[in-house]
Amino acid sequence: MSSKWRETSIGEVVELKHGYNLSQQARSSGTIPVISSSGVTNHHSEAMVKELGVVMGRYGTLGQIFSIEED
């Protein structure tokens, strides 16, 4: 193996998390994108996570991955 690569676990490189359940009633008007398994579906006033993120759905549009470069 080249010295440019090292063996590690995925947990040392990325943090995997389950998303948040943010119902339509709980959202307030804002500029923060609400991401679902099909991409940006709405906007909210408060960010739940900090940028940079990769979103992959657990159901529905499996296999589609979205890169999010904002909170």
Side-chain angles (χ1 to χ4, degrees):
M1 200 191 286
S2 170
S3 62
K4 293 181 183 179
W5 295 90
R6 69 179 178 93
E7 189 171 326
T8 186
S9 69
I10 194 167
E12 291 183 50
V13 180
V14 298
E15 179 182 3
L16 300 176
K17 294 182 75 174
H18 180 277
Y20 296 89
N21 293 323
L22 184 61
S23 69
Q24 185 70 33
Q25 296 80 17
R27 298 175 195 168
S28 53
S29 183
T31 60
I32 308 298
V34 175
I35 313 298
S36 74
S37 61
S38 59
V40 177
T41 57
N42 208 319
H43 290 82
H44 184 55
S45 62
E46 180 183 353
M48 305 299 281
V49 296
K50 293 291 183 189
E51 57 87 20
L52 176 67
V54 175
V55 178
M56 179 175 60
R58 296 177 295 130
Y59 58 88
T61 55
L62 290 174
Q64 290 195 14
I65 298 173
F66 304 93
S67 173
I68 308 302
E69 297 183 7
E70 56 190 296
D71 291 350

CSV table of all heavy atoms in Angstrom, one decimal:
chain,number,residue,atom,x,y,z
A,1,MET,N,0.8,-1.2,0.0
A,1,MET,CA,0.0,0.0,0.0
A,1,MET,C,0.9,1.2,0.0
A,1,MET,O,1.9,1.3,0.7
A,1,MET,CB,-0.9,0.0,1.2
A,1,MET,CG,-2.1,0.9,1.0
A,1,MET,SD,-3.1,1.3,2.4
A,1,MET,CE,-4.1,-0.1,2.8
A,2,SER,N,0.5,2.2,-0.8
A,2,SER,CA,1.3,3.5,-0.9
A,2,SER,C,1.3,4.2,0.5
A,2,SER,O,0.3,4.1,1.2
A,2,SER,CB,0.7,4.4,-2.0
A,2,SER,OG,1.3,5.6,-1.9
A,3,SER,N,2.3,5.0,0.7
A,3,SER,CA,2.4,5.8,2.0
A,3,SER,C,1.4,6.9,2.0
A,3,SER,O,1.1,7.5,3.0
A,3,SER,CB,3.8,6.4,2.1
A,3,SER,OG,4.1,7.2,1.1
A,4,LYS,N,0.7,7.2,0.8
A,4,LYS,CA,-0.3,8.2,0.8
A,4,LYS,C,-1.6,7.8,1.4
A,4,LYS,O,-2.5,8.6,1.6
A,4,LYS,CB,-0.6,8.7,-0.7
A,4,LYS,CG,0.6,9.4,-1.3
A,4,LYS,CD,0.3,9.8,-2.7
A,4,LYS,CE,1.5,10.5,-3.3
A,4,LYS,NZ,1.2,10.9,-4.7
A,5,TRP,N,-1.8,6.5,1.6
A,5,TRP,CA,-3.0,5.9,2.1
A,5,TRP,C,-2.8,5.3,3.5
A,5,TRP,O,-1.7,4.8,3.7
A,5,TRP,CB,-3.5,4.8,1.1
A,5,TRP,CG,-3.9,5.3,-0.2
A,5,TRP,CD1,-3.1,5.4,-1.3
A,5,TRP,CD2,-5.2,5.8,-0.6
A,5,TRP,NE1,-3.8,6.0,-2.4
A,5,TRP,CE2,-5.1,6.2,-1.9
A,5,TRP,CE3,-6.4,5.9,0.1
A,5,TRP,CZ2,-6.2,6.7,-2.6
A,5,TRP,CZ3,-7.5,6.4,-0.6
A,5,TRP,CH2,-7.4,6.8,-2.0
A,6,ARG,N,-3.8,5.4,4.3
A,6,ARG,CA,-3.7,4.7,5.6
A,6,ARG,C,-5.0,3.9,5.8
A,6,ARG,O,-6.0,4.4,5.4
A,6,ARG,CB,-3.4,5.7,6.7
A,6,ARG,CG,-4.5,6.6,7.0
A,6,ARG,CD,-4.1,7.5,8.2
A,6,ARG,NE,-5.1,8.5,8.5
A,6,ARG,CZ,-6.1,8.3,9.4
A,6,ARG,NH1,-6.2,7.2,10.1
A,6,ARG,NH2,-7.0,9.2,9.6
A,7,GLU,N,-4.9,2.9,6.5
A,7,GLU,CA,-6.1,2.1,6.9
A,7,GLU,C,-6.7,2.7,8.1
A,7,GLU,O,-6.1,3.1,9.0
A,7,GLU,CB,-5.7,0.6,7.2
A,7,GLU,CG,-6.8,-0.3,7.3
A,7,GLU,CD,-6.4,-1.7,7.4
A,7,GLU,OE1,-5.4,-2.1,6.8
A,7,GLU,OE2,-7.1,-2.5,8.1
A,8,THR,N,-8.1,2.9,8.0
A,8,THR,CA,-8.8,3.5,9.1
A,8,THR,C,-10.3,3.0,9.0
A,8,THR,O,-10.6,2.2,8.1
A,8,THR,CB,-8.8,5.0,8.9
A,8,THR,OG1,-9.4,5.6,10.1
A,8,THR,CG2,-9.5,5.5,7.7
A,9,SER,N,-11.1,3.4,10.0
A,9,SER,CA,-12.5,3.1,9.9
A,9,SER,C,-13.3,4.2,9.4
A,9,SER,O,-12.8,5.4,9.4
A,9,SER,CB,-13.0,2.7,11.4
A,9,SER,OG,-13.0,3.9,12.1
A,10,ILE,N,-14.5,4.0,8.9
A,10,ILE,CA,-15.3,5.0,8.3
A,10,ILE,C,-15.7,6.1,9.4
A,10,ILE,O,-15.8,7.3,9.1
A,10,ILE,CB,-16.5,4.5,7.6
A,10,ILE,CG1,-17.2,5.6,6.8
A,10,ILE,CG2,-17.5,3.9,8.6
A,10,ILE,CD1,-18.2,5.1,5.8
A,11,GLY,N,-15.8,5.6,10.7
A,11,GLY,CA,-16.1,6.5,11.8
A,11,GLY,C,-15.1,7.6,12.1
A,11,GLY,O,-15.3,8.6,12.6
A,12,GLU,N,-13.8,7.3,11.7
A,12,GLU,CA,-12.8,8.3,11.8
A,12,GLU,C,-12.8,9.3,10.8
A,12,GLU,O,-12.1,10.4,10.9
A,12,GLU,CB,-11.4,7.6,11.8
A,12,GLU,CG,-11.2,6.7,13.1
A,12,GLU,CD,-9.8,6.1,13.0
A,12,GLU,OE1,-8.8,6.8,12.8
A,12,GLU,OE2,-9.7,4.9,13.2
A,13,VAL,N,-13.5,9.1,9.7
A,13,VAL,CA,-13.5,10.0,8.5
A,13,VAL,C,-14.8,10.8,8.4
A,13,VAL,O,-14.7,12.0,8.1
A,13,VAL,CB,-13.2,9.2,7.2
A,13,VAL,CG1,-13.2,10.1,6.0
A,13,VAL,CG2,-12.0,8.4,7.3
A,14,VAL,N,-15.9,10.2,8.7
A,14,VAL,CA,-17.2,10.9,8.6
A,14,VAL,C,-18.1,10.6,9.8
A,14,VAL,O,-17.8,9.6,10.5
A,14,VAL,CB,-18.0,10.4,7.3
A,14,VAL,CG1,-17.2,10.8,6.1
A,14,VAL,CG2,-18.3,9.0,7.3
A,15,GLU,N,-19.1,11.4,10.0
A,15,GLU,CA,-20.1,11.2,11.0
A,15,GLU,C,-21.4,10.8,10.3
A,15,GLU,O,-21.9,11.6,9.5
A,15,GLU,CB,-20.3,12.4,11.9
A,15,GLU,CG,-21.3,12.2,13.0
A,15,GLU,CD,-21.5,13.5,13.8
A,15,GLU,OE1,-20.9,14.5,13.5
A,15,GLU,OE2,-22.3,13.5,14.7
A,16,LEU,N,-21.9,9.6,10.6
A,16,LEU,CA,-23.1,9.2,10.0
A,16,LEU,C,-24.2,9.4,11.1
A,16,LEU,O,-24.1,9.1,12.2
A,16,LEU,CB,-23.1,7.7,9.7
A,16,LEU,CG,-22.0,7.3,8.7
A,16,LEU,CD1,-22.0,5.8,8.5
A,16,LEU,CD2,-22.2,8.0,7.4
A,17,LYS,N,-25.3,10.1,10.6
A,17,LYS,CA,-26.4,10.5,11.5
A,17,LYS,C,-27.7,10.2,10.8
A,17,LYS,O,-27.9,10.4,9.6
A,17,LYS,CB,-26.3,11.9,11.9
A,17,LYS,CG,-25.1,12.3,12.7
A,17,LYS,CD,-25.2,13.7,13.1
A,17,LYS,CE,-26.2,13.9,14.2
A,17,LYS,NZ,-26.2,15.3,14.7
A,18,HIS,N,-28.7,9.9,11.6
A,18,HIS,CA,-30.1,9.9,11.2
A,18,HIS,C,-30.6,11.3,11.1
A,18,HIS,O,-30.2,12.1,11.9
A,18,HIS,CB,-30.9,9.1,12.2
A,18,HIS,CG,-32.4,8.9,11.8
A,18,HIS,ND1,-33.3,9.9,12.1
A,18,HIS,CD2,-33.0,7.9,11.2
A,18,HIS,CE1,-34.5,9.5,11.6
A,18,HIS,NE2,-34.3,8.3,11.1
A,19,GLY,N,-31.5,11.6,10.1
A,19,GLY,CA,-32.0,12.9,10.0
A,19,GLY,C,-32.9,13.4,11.1
A,19,GLY,O,-33.1,12.7,12.1
A,20,TYR,N,-33.6,14.5,10.9
A,20,TYR,CA,-34.5,15.0,11.8
A,20,TYR,C,-35.9,15.0,11.3
A,20,TYR,O,-36.1,15.2,10.1
A,20,TYR,CB,-34.1,16.5,12.1
A,20,TYR,CG,-32.8,16.6,12.8
A,20,TYR,CD1,-31.6,16.8,12.0
A,20,TYR,CD2,-32.7,16.6,14.2
A,20,TYR,CE1,-30.4,16.9,12.6
A,20,TYR,CE2,-31.5,16.8,14.8
A,20,TYR,CZ,-30.3,16.9,14.0
A,20,TYR,OH,-29.1,17.0,14.6
A,21,ASN,N,-36.9,14.7,12.1
A,21,ASN,CA,-38.3,14.8,11.7
A,21,ASN,C,-38.8,16.2,11.9
A,21,ASN,O,-39.0,16.6,13.0
A,21,ASN,CB,-39.1,13.8,12.5
A,21,ASN,CG,-38.8,12.4,12.2
A,21,ASN,OD1,-38.5,12.1,11.0
A,21,ASN,ND2,-38.8,11.5,13.2
A,22,LEU,N,-38.9,17.0,10.8
A,22,LEU,CA,-39.3,18.3,10.9
A,22,LEU,C,-40.6,18.5,10.1
A,22,LEU,O,-40.6,18.6,8.9
A,22,LEU,CB,-38.2,19.3,10.3
A,22,LEU,CG,-38.5,20.8,10.4
A,22,LEU,CD1,-38.6,21.2,11.9
A,22,LEU,CD2,-37.4,21.5,9.7
A,23,SER,N,-41.7,18.3,10.8
A,23,SER,CA,-43.0,18.4,10.1
A,23,SER,C,-43.3,19.7,9.5
A,23,SER,O,-42.7,20.7,9.9
A,23,SER,CB,-44.1,18.1,11.1
A,23,SER,OG,-44.3,19.1,12.1
A,24,GLN,N,-44.2,19.8,8.6
A,24,GLN,CA,-44.6,21.0,7.9
A,24,GLN,C,-45.0,22.0,8.9
A,24,GLN,O,-44.7,23.2,8.8
A,24,GLN,CB,-45.6,20.7,6.9
A,24,GLN,CG,-46.0,21.9,6.0
A,24,GLN,CD,-44.9,22.3,5.0
A,24,GLN,OE1,-44.2,21.5,4.5
A,24,GLN,NE2,-44.8,23.6,4.8
A,25,GLN,N,-45.8,21.6,9.9
A,25,GLN,CA,-46.3,22.5,11.0
A,25,GLN,C,-45.2,23.1,11.8
A,25,GLN,O,-45.3,24.2,12.3
A,25,GLN,CB,-47.3,21.8,11.9
A,25,GLN,CG,-48.6,21.3,11.1
A,25,GLN,CD,-48.3,20.0,10.4
A,25,GLN,OE1,-47.4,19.3,10.6
A,25,GLN,NE2,-49.3,19.7,9.4
A,26,ALA,N,-44.1,22.4,12.0
A,26,ALA,CA,-43.0,22.8,12.8
A,26,ALA,C,-42.1,23.8,12.1
A,26,ALA,O,-41.2,24.4,12.7
A,26,ALA,CB,-42.2,21.6,13.4
A,27,ARG,N,-42.2,23.9,10.8
A,27,ARG,CA,-41.3,24.8,10.0
A,27,ARG,C,-41.7,26.2,10.1
A,27,ARG,O,-42.9,26.5,10.1
A,27,ARG,CB,-41.2,24.3,8.6
A,27,ARG,CG,-40.7,22.9,8.4
A,27,ARG,CD,-40.8,22.5,7.0
A,27,ARG,NE,-40.6,21.0,6.9
A,27,ARG,CZ,-40.8,20.3,5.9
A,27,ARG,NH1,-41.2,20.8,4.8
A,27,ARG,NH2,-40.6,19.0,6.0
A,28,SER,N,-40.8,27.1,10.1
A,28,SER,CA,-41.1,28.6,10.0
A,28,SER,C,-40.3,29.1,8.8
A,28,SER,O,-39.2,28.7,8.5
A,28,SER,CB,-40.7,29.3,11.3
A,28,SER,OG,-39.4,29.0,11.7
A,29,SER,N,-40.9,30.1,8.2
A,29,SER,CA,-40.3,30.6,7.0
A,29,SER,C,-38.9,31.1,7.2
A,29,SER,O,-38.5,31.8,8.1
A,29,SER,CB,-41.2,31.8,6.5
A,29,SER,OG,-40.7,32.3,5.3
A,30,GLY,N,-38.0,30.7,6.2
A,30,GLY,CA,-36.6,31.0,6.3
A,30,GLY,C,-35.9,30.7,5.0
A,30,GLY,O,-36.5,30.3,4.0
A,31,THR,N,-34.6,30.7,5.1
A,31,THR,CA,-33.7,30.5,3.9
A,31,THR,C,-32.9,29.2,4.0
A,31,THR,O,-32.2,28.9,3.1
A,31,THR,CB,-32.8,31.7,3.7
A,31,THR,OG1,-31.9,31.8,4.8
A,31,THR,CG2,-33.5,33.0,3.5
A,32,ILE,N,-33.0,28.5,5.1
A,32,ILE,CA,-32.3,27.2,5.3
A,32,ILE,C,-33.0,26.1,4.6
A,32,ILE,O,-34.2,25.9,4.8
A,32,ILE,CB,-32.1,26.9,6.8
A,32,ILE,CG1,-31.6,28.1,7.6
A,32,ILE,CG2,-31.3,25.6,7.0
A,32,ILE,CD1,-30.2,28.5,7.2
A,33,PRO,N,-32.3,25.4,3.7
A,33,PRO,CA,-33.0,24.3,2.9
A,33,PRO,C,-33.4,23.1,3.8
A,33,PRO,O,-32.6,22.8,4.7
A,33,PRO,CB,-32.0,23.9,1.9
A,33,PRO,CG,-30.7,24.3,2.4
A,33,PRO,CD,-30.9,25.5,3.2
A,34,VAL,N,-34.5,22.6,3.6
A,34,VAL,CA,-35.0,21.4,4.3
A,34,VAL,C,-34.7,20.2,3.2
A,34,VAL,O,-35.3,20.3,2.1
A,34,VAL,CB,-36.5,21.4,4.7
A,34,VAL,CG1,-36.9,20.1,5.2
A,34,VAL,CG2,-36.7,22.5,5.7
A,35,ILE,N,-33.9,19.3,3.6
A,35,ILE,CA,-33.5,18.2,2.7
A,35,ILE,C,-34.3,16.9,3.0
A,35,ILE,O,-34.3,16.5,4.2
A,35,ILE,CB,-32.0,17.9,2.8
A,35,ILE,CG1,-31.2,19.2,2.7
A,35,ILE,CG2,-31.6,17.0,1.7
A,35,ILE,CD1,-31.4,20.1,1.5
A,36,SER,N,-34.8,16.3,2.0
A,36,SER,CA,-35.4,15.0,2.2
A,36,SER,C,-34.7,14.0,1.3
A,36,SER,O,-33.7,14.4,0.6
A,36,SER,CB,-36.9,15.0,1.8
A,36,SER,OG,-37.1,15.1,0.4
A,37,SER,N,-35.2,12.8,1.2
A,37,SER,CA,-34.6,11.8,0.3
A,37,SER,C,-34.7,12.1,-1.2
A,37,SER,O,-34.0,11.5,-2.0
A,37,SER,CB,-35.1,10.4,0.6
A,37,SER,OG,-36.5,10.4,0.3
A,38,SER,N,-35.5,13.2,-1.5
A,38,SER,CA,-35.6,13.6,-2.9
A,38,SER,C,-35.0,14.9,-3.1
A,38,SER,O,-35.2,15.5,-4.2
A,38,SER,CB,-37.1,13.6,-3.3
A,38,SER,OG,-37.8,14.4,-2.5
A,39,GLY,N,-34.2,15.5,-2.2
A,39,GLY,CA,-33.5,16.8,-2.3
A,39,GLY,C,-34.2,17.9,-1.5
A,39,GLY,O,-34.8,17.6,-0.5
A,40,VAL,N,-34.0,19.1,-1.9
A,40,VAL,CA,-34.5,20.3,-1.2
A,40,VAL,C,-36.0,20.3,-1.4
A,40,VAL,O,-36.5,20.3,-2.5
A,40,VAL,CB,-33.9,21.6,-1.7
A,40,VAL,CG1,-34.6,22.8,-1.0
A,40,VAL,CG2,-32.4,21.6,-1.5
A,41,THR,N,-36.8,20.2,-0.3
A,41,THR,CA,-38.2,20.1,-0.4
A,41,THR,C,-38.9,21.4,0.2
A,41,THR,O,-40.1,21.6,0.0
A,41,THR,CB,-38.8,18.9,0.3
A,41,THR,OG1,-38.4,18.9,1.7
A,41,THR,CG2,-38.3,17.6,-0.4
A,42,ASN,N,-38.2,22.2,0.9
A,42,ASN,CA,-38.8,23.4,1.6
A,42,ASN,C,-37.6,24.2,2.2
A,42,ASN,O,-36.5,23.8,2.0
A,42,ASN,CB,-39.8,22.9,2.6
A,42,ASN,CG,-40.9,24.0,2.8
A,42,ASN,OD1,-40.6,25.1,2.9
A,42,ASN,ND2,-42.1,23.5,3.0
A,43,HIS,N,-38.0,25.2,3.0
A,43,HIS,CA,-37.0,26.0,3.7
A,43,HIS,C,-37.5,26.3,5.1
A,43,HIS,O,-38.7,26.2,5.4
A,43,HIS,CB,-36.7,27.3,2.9
A,43,HIS,CG,-36.0,27.1,1.7
A,43,HIS,ND1,-36.6,26.7,0.5
A,43,HIS,CD2,-34.7,27.2,1.4
A,43,HIS,CE1,-35.7,26.6,-0.5
A,43,HIS,NE2,-34.6,26.9,0.0
A,44,HIS,N,-36.6,26.5,6.0
A,44,HIS,CA,-36.9,26.7,7.4
A,44,HIS,C,-36.0,27.9,7.9
A,44,HIS,O,-35.0,28.3,7.3
A,44,HIS,CB,-36.6,25.4,8.2
A,44,HIS,CG,-36.9,25.4,9.6
A,44,HIS,ND1,-38.2,25.7,10.1
A,44,HIS,CD2,-36.2,25.1,10.7
A,44,HIS,CE1,-38.2,25.6,11.4
A,44,HIS,NE2,-37.0,25.3,11.8
A,45,SER,N,-36.3,28.4,9.1
A,45,SER,CA,-35.5,29.5,9.7
A,45,SER,C,-34.3,29.1,10.5
A,45,SER,O,-33.5,30.0,10.8
A,45,SER,CB,-36.5,30.3,10.5
A,45,SER,OG,-37.0,29.6,11.6
A,46,GLU,N,-34.2,27.8,10.8
A,46,GLU,CA,-33.1,27.4,11.7
A,46,GLU,C,-32.4,26.2,11.2
A,46,GLU,O,-33.1,25.2,10.8
A,46,GLU,CB,-33.7,27.0,13.1
A,46,GLU,CG,-32.7,26.6,14.1
A,46,GLU,CD,-33.3,26.2,15.4
A,46,GLU,OE1,-34.5,26.4,15.6
A,46,GLU,OE2,-32.6,25.6,16.3
A,47,ALA,N,-31.1,26.2,11.1
A,47,ALA,CA,-30.3,25.0,10.6
A,47,ALA,C,-30.2,24.0,11.7
A,47,ALA,O,-30.0,24.3,12.9
A,47,ALA,CB,-28.9,25.5,10.2
A,48,MET,N,-30.4,22.7,11.3
A,48,MET,CA,-30.3,21.6,12.3
A,48,MET,C,-28.9,21.1,12.3
A,48,MET,O,-28.4,20.5,13.3
A,48,MET,CB,-31.2,20.5,11.9
A,48,MET,CG,-32.7,20.9,11.8
A,48,MET,SD,-33.4,21.6,13.3
A,48,MET,CE,-33.7,20.1,14.2
A,49,VAL,N,-28.1,21.3,11.2
A,49,VAL,CA,-26.7,20.8,11.1
A,49,VAL,C,-25.9,21.9,10.4
A,49,VAL,O,-26.4,22.7,9.7
A,49,VAL,CB,-26.6,19.5,10.4
A,49,VAL,CG1,-27.2,18.4,11.2
A,49,VAL,CG2,-27.1,19.5,9.0
A,50,LYS,N,-24.6,21.9,10.6
A,50,LYS,CA,-23.7,22.8,10.0
A,50,LYS,C,-23.3,22.2,8.6
A,50,LYS,O,-23.3,21.0,8.4
A,50,LYS,CB,-22.4,23.0,10.8
A,50,LYS,CG,-22.7,23.8,12.1
A,50,LYS,CD,-23.1,25.2,11.8
A,50,LYS,CE,-23.3,26.0,13.0
A,50,LYS,NZ,-23.9,27.3,12.7
A,51,GLU,N,-22.9,23.1,7.7
A,51,GLU,CA,-22.5,22.7,6.4
A,51,GLU,C,-21.2,22.0,6.5
A,51,GLU,O,-20.5,22.1,7.5
A,51,GLU,CB,-22.4,23.9,5.4
A,51,GLU,CG,-21.5,25.0,5.9
A,51,GLU,CD,-20.0,24.8,5.6
A,51,GLU,OE1,-19.7,24.1,4.6
A,51,GLU,OE2,-19.2,25.4,6.2
A,52,LEU,N,-20.8,21.3,5.7
A,52,LEU,CA,-20.9,20.6,4.5
A,52,LEU,C,-21.5,19.3,4.8
A,52,LEU,O,-21.1,18.6,5.7
A,52,LEU,CB,-19.5,20.5,3.9
A,52,LEU,CG,-19.3,19.7,2.6
A,52,LEU,CD1,-20.0,20.3,1.4
A,52,LEU,CD2,-17.8,19.5,2.3
A,53,GLY,N,-22.4,18.8,4.0
A,53,GLY,CA,-23.1,17.6,4.2
A,53,GLY,C,-23.4,16.8,3.0
A,53,GLY,O,-23.5,17.4,1.9
A,54,VAL,N,-23.6,15.5,3.2
A,54,VAL,CA,-24.0,14.6,2.1
A,54,VAL,C,-25.3,14.0,2.6
A,54,VAL,O,-25.3,13.4,3.7
A,54,VAL,CB,-23.0,13.6,1.8
A,54,VAL,CG1,-23.5,12.6,0.8
A,54,VAL,CG2,-21.7,14.3,1.3
A,55,VAL,N,-26.3,14.0,1.8
A,55,VAL,CA,-27.6,13.5,2.2
A,55,VAL,C,-28.0,12.3,1.3
A,55,VAL,O,-27.9,12.4,0.1
A,55,VAL,CB,-28.7,14.5,2.2
A,55,VAL,CG1,-30.1,14.0,2.5
A,55,VAL,CG2,-28.4,15.7,3.1
A,56,MET,N,-28.4,11.2,2.0
A,56,MET,CA,-28.8,10.0,1.2
A,56,MET,C,-30.0,9.5,1.9
A,56,MET,O,-30.1,9.3,3.1
A,56,MET,CB,-27.7,8.9,1.2
A,56,MET,CG,-28.1,7.7,0.5
A,56,MET,SD,-26.7,6.5,0.4
A,56,MET,CE,-26.4,6.2,2.1
A,57,GLY,N,-31.1,9.3,1.1
A,57,GLY,CA,-32.4,8.8,1.7
A,57,GLY,C,-32.3,7.4,2.1
A,57,GLY,O,-31.5,6.6,1.6
A,58,ARG,N,-33.2,7.0,3.1
A,58,ARG,CA,-33.3,5.7,3.5
A,58,ARG,C,-34.5,4.9,2.8
A,58,ARG,O,-34.6,3.7,2.9
A,58,ARG,CB,-33.6,5.7,5.1
A,58,ARG,CG,-32.5,6.2,5.9
A,58,ARG,CD,-32.9,6.3,7.4
A,58,ARG,NE,-34.0,7.2,7.6
A,58,ARG,CZ,-35.1,6.9,8.2
A,58,ARG,NH1,-35.3,5.7,8.8
A,58,ARG,NH2,-36.1,7.8,8.4
A,59,TYR,N,-35.3,5.7,2.2
A,59,TYR,CA,-36.5,5.1,1.4
A,59,TYR,C,-36.8,6.0,0.3
A,59,TYR,O,-36.3,7.2,0.2
A,59,TYR,CB,-37.6,4.8,2.4
A,59,TYR,CG,-38.1,6.1,3.1
A,59,TYR,CD1,-39.1,6.9,2.5
A,59,TYR,CD2,-37.6,6.5,4.3
A,59,TYR,CE1,-39.5,8.0,3.1
A,59,TYR,CE2,-38.1,7.6,4.9
A,59,TYR,CZ,-39.0,8.4,4.3
A,59,TYR,OH,-39.5,9.5,4.9
A,60,GLY,N,-37.8,5.6,-0.5
A,60,GLY,CA,-38.2,6.5,-1.6
A,60,GLY,C,-37.2,6.5,-2.7
A,60,GLY,O,-37.2,5.6,-3.6
A,61,THR,N,-36.4,7.5,-2.8
A,61,THR,CA,-35.4,7.7,-3.9
A,61,THR,C,-34.1,7.1,-3.5
A,61,THR,O,-33.1,7.8,-3.6
A,61,THR,CB,-35.3,9.2,-4.3
A,61,THR,OG1,-34.9,9.9,-3.1
A,61,THR,CG2,-36.6,9.7,-4.9
A,62,LEU,N,-34.0,5.9,-3.2
A,62,LEU,CA,-32.7,5.2,-2.8
A,62,LEU,C,-31.7,5.3,-4.0
A,62,LEU,O,-32.1,5.3,-5.1
A,62,LEU,CB,-33.0,3.7,-2.5
A,62,LEU,CG,-33.7,3.4,-1.3
A,62,LEU,CD1,-34.0,2.0,-1.1
A,62,LEU,CD2,-33.0,3.9,0.0
A,63,GLY,N,-30.5,5.6,-3.6
A,63,GLY,CA,-29.5,5.7,-4.6
A,63,GLY,C,-29.2,7.1,-5.0
A,63,GLY,O,-28.1,7.4,-5.6
A,64,GLN,N,-30.0,8.1,-4.7
A,64,GLN,CA,-29.8,9.5,-5.0
A,64,GLN,C,-29.1,10.1,-3.8
A,64,GLN,O,-29.5,10.0,-2.7
A,64,GLN,CB,-31.1,10.2,-5.3
A,64,GLN,CG,-31.7,9.8,-6.7
A,64,GLN,CD,-32.7,10.8,-7.1
A,64,GLN,OE1,-32.8,11.9,-6.6
A,64,GLN,NE2,-33.5,10.4,-8.1
A,65,ILE,N,-28.0,10.8,-4.1
A,65,ILE,CA,-27.2,11.4,-3.1
A,65,ILE,C,-27.1,12.9,-3.4
A,65,ILE,O,-26.9,13.3,-4.5
A,65,ILE,CB,-25.8,10.8,-3.0
A,65,ILE,CG1,-25.9,9.3,-2.6
A,65,ILE,CG2,-24.9,11.5,-2.0
A,65,ILE,CD1,-24.6,8.5,-2.7
A,66,PHE,N,-27.2,13.7,-2.3
A,66,PHE,CA,-27.2,15.2,-2.5
A,66,PHE,C,-26.0,15.8,-1.6
A,66,PHE,O,-25.9,15.4,-0.5
A,66,PHE,CB,-28.5,15.8,-2.1
A,66,PHE,CG,-29.7,15.2,-2.8
A,66,PHE,CD1,-30.4,14.2,-2.3
A,66,PHE,CD2,-30.0,15.8,-4.0
A,66,PHE,CE1,-31.4,13.6,-3.0
A,66,PHE,CE2,-31.1,15.2,-4.7
A,66,PHE,CZ,-31.8,14.2,-4.2
A,67,SER,N,-25.2,16.6,-2.2
A,67,SER,CA,-24.2,17.3,-1.5
A,67,SER,C,-24.7,18.7,-1.1
A,67,SER,O,-25.2,19.4,-2.0
A,67,SER,CB,-22.9,17.5,-2.4
A,67,SER,OG,-22.0,18.3,-1.7
A,68,ILE,N,-24.7,19.1,0.1
A,68,ILE,CA,-25.2,20.3,0.6
A,68,ILE,C,-24.1,21.2,1.2
A,68,ILE,O,-23.3,20.7,2.0
A,68,ILE,CB,-26.3,20.1,1.7
A,68,ILE,CG1,-27.3,19.1,1.3
A,68,ILE,CG2,-26.9,21.4,2.2
A,68,ILE,CD1,-28.1,19.5,0.1
A,69,GLU,N,-23.9,22.3,0.6
A,69,GLU,CA,-22.8,23.2,1.0
A,69,GLU,C,-23.1,24.4,1.8
A,69,GLU,O,-22.5,25.4,1.8
A,69,GLU,CB,-22.0,23.7,-0.3
A,69,GLU,CG,-21.5,22.5,-1.1
A,69,GLU,CD,-20.7,22.9,-2.3
A,69,GLU,OE1,-20.5,24.1,-2.5
A,69,GLU,OE2,-20.3,22.0,-3.1
A,70,GLU,N,-24.3,24.3,2.5
A,70,GLU,CA,-24.7,25.3,3.4
A,70,GLU,C,-25.3,24.7,4.7
A,70,GLU,O,-25.6,23.5,4.7
A,70,GLU,CB,-25.7,26.2,2.7
A,70,GLU,CG,-26.9,25.5,2.1
A,70,GLU,CD,-27.7,26.4,1.2
A,70,GLU,OE1,-28.3,27.4,1.7
A,70,GLU,OE2,-27.8,26.1,0.0
A,71,ASP,N,-25.5,25.5,5.7
A,71,ASP,CA,-26.1,25.0,7.0
A,71,ASP,C,-27.5,24.5,6.6
A,71,ASP,O,-28.2,24.9,5.7
A,71,ASP,CB,-26.2,26.0,8.0
A,71,ASP,CG,-24.8,26.4,8.6
A,71,ASP,OD1,-23.8,25.7,8.2
A,71,ASP,OD2,-24.7,27.4,9.3
